Amino acid sequence: MKNFQSGLVCVFISALFFSACSKDENDPPAPNETQELIDLSLNINILGLESNTDSRQQENELPDCIEASPYYIEIVMKQGDRDVVGTADIPFRLDLAPGEMFTKYIPEMAMPPGLYFLDHCAVYDAAGTLLCLAPKSDSPMGAMSDAPMPMSINLRAGSKPFPDVPVFCVDNREVNEFGYVFFDVEPTIVRNFCFFANYCDENGRHFPARYSVDISIDGNVIYSAVESNNGEYDTDKYFADPVCVDLPDLSQYDDDEEYIDYTITLLPWKGVYDLDEEMVITGSLSREEIEEHFDGEENIEYEHIFFNCDSEEENISLPDFGSAQFSNPTNISNPYYGPDQGYIYEYTGFELEDGEYPEEPSEVIFVERKTETREILGIETITQRDYVIEDGVIIEDTDDWLAQDDDGNLWYMGEDSKNYDEDGNFIDNEGSWEAGVDGALPGYWLPGNPVIGQRYYQEFYEGEAEDWGEVIALDGTVELEIGTFENVLVTKDVNPFEEGAYELKYYAPGTGLIKEEKYEDGELVEIVYLTGIIVID
């Protein structure tokens, strides 16, 4: 195999794993689920590029190649007349290994022993530009290939096949010279889409679920039994990673037409929860719904699935303040909190109009940790001050009271808010509350051991303040003018009294809050991000 560097490198085809067999006339039986599965990776060989093939290229008019890097291929594999991977209408996308010309190993390419036929192979760059095609046997270009489509691949038990697939660069030739029509090779836009599931037991306790995902389009399966990655990171504390897949954005369907069908199956998890019966949740997605979850590769909102849970609210935990231990509550060591004493964080906020940034920011926000403390419910809390300035006038000035328990959970114990008009005149204290007063209960400002899918109340003052948060990512990357932050915690914060609105907050380890985004009815309307850190003398 060859690394793919700045240009296209040709490797002569190998006939080791394929032969000139023709297709079987009869369909073989469906694969036995108990059979050994063989992982198949395809090695793409681009023909007609080496310097010693100049005479052959002149004689046979082999197409030239452009200076571009292959990124993925689309294929259709058959066994007899039965589609195994991909279909003529929806070829299956396989990404190439980084810097290589062979495909990554994925579950869809693990197949039982048998004779298969590669019926379609097209090579694209990262932008979806068609670079190369494997010609069909009955096409003009097919005569130049030692293994035109359909190419046979014989999978034998105990082997790990790595067949070469000879392709030619398309250059400016019509695709019908390769035996394809335009619509066969029109690149498919894909969107990454993630599922996350929770399970509620008969006592109402909720767990991250162990589950599998199946996805089909018009009855054609494109993902089968993709299982979540689950584990335990501490005693009685469990985690599950979301299941993320690439879904084709097919333009032949209307924006609101649901064409992708999914099946989520709850799986038993020994030592965590028991199942008395099979639980399956099905649904469908449209292009519009997929787009609503997608805001760039670093910002994908999960489709949250609930098993045995009556409502979304049932899955929000009110943290157990009574069992929390506070040995040193003002020693804040939670890595996602900032600023430390002696620093002031400066944030800049913009209100977007039709998705566009205004020329000037709408507000500037300063956050600092004060030296004063306050005792609430017998716990000493720190005081964090944040004040908002618009047009040089403070319009909001808030003291938040926070305390950390021995497990690293940062508790939100209340706040004192002062609101002012545009001239700086005091208006009211709307938003103020204190844990233990009038039935108000504390919640998490930040959990000590965040887990994807974890939901928690940040405060609970029934009918007045019932904000809750959900951990949706732990490995985000955020690029700001002041630097790039990795392993970022991302939470989705919801005020249930603001219908259709939520905020995404980004916390960087060792720094704290670095960015906020507010959405209304799925549209980004406000963004605030860290622009400076001021050292206090």
Side-chain angles (χ1 to χ4, degrees):
M1 76 193 75
K2 298 281 187 180
N3 286 349
F4 198 90
Q5 305 293 341
S6 58
L8 297 177
V9 180
C10 175
V11 182
F12 284 115
I13 60 174
S14 167
L16 180 59
F17 294 107
F18 58 82
S19 62
C21 299
S22 61
K23 284 189 181 180
D24 228 352
E25 293 297 325
N26 300 316
D27 275 345
N32 186 337
E33 292 183 1
T34 63
Q35 285 182 295
E36 172 193 358
L37 296 181
I38 301 171
D39 289 320
L40 174 63
S41 174
L42 302 176
N43 186 47
I44 303 303
N45 281 345
I46 301 174
L47 302 181
L49 298 179
E50 289 186 345
S51 58
N52 60 5
T53 62
D54 287 345
S55 60
R56 181 182 174 188
Q57 181 162 344
Q58 182 178 6
E59 178 183 352
N60 295 317
E61 297 182 351
L62 292 175
D64 294 329
C65 286
I66 61 174
E67 295 291 324
S69 296
Y71 189 80
Y72 70 93
I73 67 174
E74 290 188 351
I75 67 166
V76 177
M77 284 195 68
K78 293 178 173 287
Q79 198 172 35
D81 290 330
R82 181 172 62 87
D83 291 325
V84 177
V85 179
T87 67
D89 292 332
I90 309 173
F92 187 79
R93 170 172 167 158
L94 285 171
D95 287 348
L96 298 174
E100 304 288 351
M101 289 298 290
F102 56 85
T103 59
K104 299 177 180 178
Y105 287 104
I106 61 171
E108 288 76 13
M109 294 297 285
M111 291 173 278
L115 183 62
Y116 297 82
F117 292 89
L118 182 61
D119 203 54
H120 171 120
C121 183
V123 183
Y124 301 87
D125 67 11
T129 302
L130 177 65
L131 301 180
C132 307
L133 285 171
K136 303 291 182 77
S137 59
D138 56 355
S139 69
M141 293 299 297
M144 300 183 187
S145 174
D146 294 332
M149 304 290 101
M151 186 186 96
S152 64
I153 300 175
N154 192 7
L155 300 184
R156 298 182 177 89
S159 65
K160 195 168 185 179
F162 195 76
D164 292 326
V165 180
V167 299
F168 294 109
C169 294
V170 174
D171 194 24
N172 59 353
R173 292 176 181 250
E174 298 291 339
V175 296
N176 60 7
E177 293 186 46
F178 295 81
Y180 297 79
V181 296
F182 174 75
F183 295 104
D184 288 339
V185 294
E186 185 179 9
T188 302
I189 298 173
V190 295
R191 291 283 184 258
N192 196 243
F193 194 88
C194 299
F195 296 88
F196 188 84
N198 280 103
Y199 166 69
C200 296
D201 66 13
E202 63 277 6
N203 298 316
R205 181 182 178 187
H206 72 279
F207 303 87
R210 179 173 172 261
Y211 58 100
S212 66
V213 177
D214 296 86
I215 295 177
S216 62
I217 299 176
D218 291 335
N220 298 306
V221 177
I222 60 174
Y223 291 98
S224 177
V226 183
E227 292 190 14
S228 59
N229 176 48
N230 296 63
E232 182 177 8
Y233 68 87
D234 201 354
T235 304
D236 294 330
K237 294 182 179 179
Y238 308 98
F239 72 86
D241 292 333
V243 172
C244 297
V245 294
D246 287 328
L247 299 180
D249 183 346
L250 302 179
S251 58
Q252 62 262 42
Y253 296 94
D254 293 335
D255 287 349
D256 59 354
E257 184 179 357
E258 295 180 336
Y259 64 94
I260 295 177
D261 301 314
Y262 64 80
T263 299
I264 315 295
T265 303
L266 182 66
L267 302 176
W269 193 350
K270 186 176 180 180
V272 181
Y273 57 75
D274 298 316
L275 296 180
D276 296 327
E277 59 182 356
E278 183 180 57
M279 294 187 185
V280 175
I281 292 177
T282 60
S284 300
L285 298 167
S286 65
R287 297 171 63 208
E288 195 173 71
E289 290 168 323
I290 295 171
E291 285 289 341
E292 286 177 355
H293 287 71
F294 184 86
D295 187 26
E297 295 294 344
E298 302 298 335
N299 185 11
I300 300 171
E301 183 182 347
Y302 306 146
E303 179 77 2
H304 209 139
I305 305 296
F306 300 100
F307 289 97
N308 202 41
C309 304
D310 292 337
S311 65
E312 183 179 76
E313 286 74 18
E314 186 173 325
N315 288 274
I316 307 171
S317 296
L318 181 62
D320 186 1
F321 182 75
S323 63
Q325 300 294 317
F326 295 88
S327 300
N328 192 2
T330 60
N331 180 25
I332 310 301
S333 59
N334 188 302
Y336 299 108
Y337 174 75
D340 291 331
Q341 254 181 343
Y343 298 89
I344 297 176
Y345 284 6
E346 180 180 354
Y347 299 85
T348 302
F350 295 86
E351 292 183 359
L352 280 63
E353 299 179 5
D354 298 324
E356 299 293 331
Y357 278 85
E359 293 184 1
E360 299 293 333
S362 56
E363 61 187 19
V364 178
I365 303 167
F366 293 92
V367 178
E368 64 175 305
R369 177 176 168 180
K370 298 167 69 174
T371 58
E372 294 90 343
T373 61
R374 180 183 180 90
E375 185 173 308
I376 300 175
L377 294 177
I379 307 297
E380 187 180 10
T381 71
I382 68 166
T383 301
Q384 173 184 285
R385 181 194 181 199
D386 60 87
Y387 50 101
V388 182
I389 297 176
E390 289 186 2
D391 298 325
V393 177
I394 294 179
I395 62 166
E396 184 179 336
D397 196 346
T398 302
D399 283 346
D400 296 307
W401 301 310
L402 311 174
Q404 181 175 299
D405 67 21
D406 295 352
D407 291 326
N409 300 303
L410 190 59
W411 290 80
Y412 183 24
M413 305 293 287
E415 67 174 67
D416 178 21
S417 295
K418 300 179 182 67
N419 303 298
Y420 303 88
D421 65 19
E422 60 185 9
D423 296 320
N425 300 310
F426 176 77
I427 301 175
D428 57 33
N429 295 101
E430 183 179 352
S432 299
W433 68 282
E434 182 175 334
V437 176
D438 198 22
L441 299 173
Y444 286 161
W445 184 273
L446 284 168
N449 293 290
V451 178
I452 291 176
Q454 179 182 6
R455 291 184 169 200
Y456 50 90
Y457 279 108
Q458 298 163 327
E459 55 185 323
F460 193 85
Y461 184 16
E462 189 169 3
E464 299 290 335
E466 300 178 17
D467 294 8
W468 56 272
E470 177 184 0
V471 178
I472 63 173
L474 296 170
D475 58 354
T477 299
V478 176
E479 295 183 3
L480 300 175
E481 292 181 3
I482 65 171
T484 299
F485 301 87
E486 298 181 341
N487 300 315
V488 171
L489 163 67
V490 186
T491 66
K492 177 182 178 180
D493 292 3
V494 177
N495 179 347
F497 304 119
E498 293 184 11
E499 187 176 354
Y502 65 89
E503 294 178 343
L504 296 181
K505 294 185 178 179
Y506 301 79
Y507 299 88
T511 302
L513 181 66
I514 55 173
K515 186 171 73 167
E516 290 183 17
E517 296 172 335
K518 184 172 183 179
Y519 292 82
E520 292 180 354
D521 297 323
E523 180 182 355
L524 179 63
V525 296
E526 187 176 349
I527 186 167
V528 176
Y529 55 86
L530 182 65
T531 51
I533 298 177
I534 302 168
V535 179
I536 304 174
D537 294 332

